[in-house]
Amino acid sequence: QVQLVESGGGTVQAGGSLTLSCTFSENYKNKCMGWFRQAAGKEREAVATVGPGGTVSYYADSVKGRFTISRDNAKNTVYLQMNSLKPEGTAVYYCAAVGPDRWSCPNPPFTKTFTYWGQGTQVTVSS
């Protein structure tokens, strides 16, 4: 059973930083992982994805230059370092993994191609 557990969310002032972490089960070391977010009243959107070897596959235009995705397979963890946060970044952030028939990152990273999801962690950016 795949398990994804996010941590690191919280409230931060605009311009501040947060680092989200997601631990994943052992059998997902060879899978593409991604971070998604969903703001109130909006659709879930991809933020960043990273391949099984650590190569970054995708950043949303809105976060390029400010967010960094990375993974440490020895620790079964994927990270999202978020700098220069903006109020529009307020959302529930989800960690996700591609489905059982995929290993590489889909491009573009359609939400439906990620089968496994964590419970989400709230990030609130105050102005």
Side-chain angles (χ1 to χ4, degrees):
Q1 182 179 356
V2 177
Q3 289 187 329
L4 302 169
V5 181
E6 303 101 333
S7 62
T11 300
V12 64
Q13 288 189 333
S17 298
L18 278 177
T19 299
L20 305 182
S21 300
C22 171
T23 56
F24 53 87
S25 54
E26 182 72 15
N27 55 322
Y28 264 63
K29 285 185 175 181
N30 294 322
K31 299 284 189 179
C32 171
M33 304 289 295
W35 285 99
F36 291 73
R37 66 186 179 187
Q38 187 166 17
K42 296 188 176 181
E43 292 188 357
R44 192 170 298 187
E45 63 175 359
V47 175
T49 62
V50 62
T55 300
V56 177
S57 178
Y58 173 86
Y59 284 115
D61 287 342
S62 58
V63 307
K64 284 180 180 177
R66 300 186 298 116
F67 289 15
T68 302
I69 188 171
S70 62
R71 68 190 293 164
D72 184 342
N73 282 340
K75 296 181 179 180
N76 288 13
T77 303
V78 61
Y79 305 96
L80 185 68
Q81 172 68 43
M82 305 184 293
N83 298 326
S84 302
L85 282 161
K86 302 176 181 181
E88 51 264 41
T90 295
V92 178
Y93 284 71
Y94 297 91
C95 175
V98 292
D101 57 346
R102 295 197 68 104
W103 286 264
S104 60
C105 289
N107 189 16
F110 292 121
T111 304
K112 64 182 180 181
T113 56
F114 287 76
T115 301
Y116 302 103
W117 295 84
Q119 80 287 354
T121 185
Q122 176 71 45
V123 172
T124 301
V125 185
S126 61
S127 58

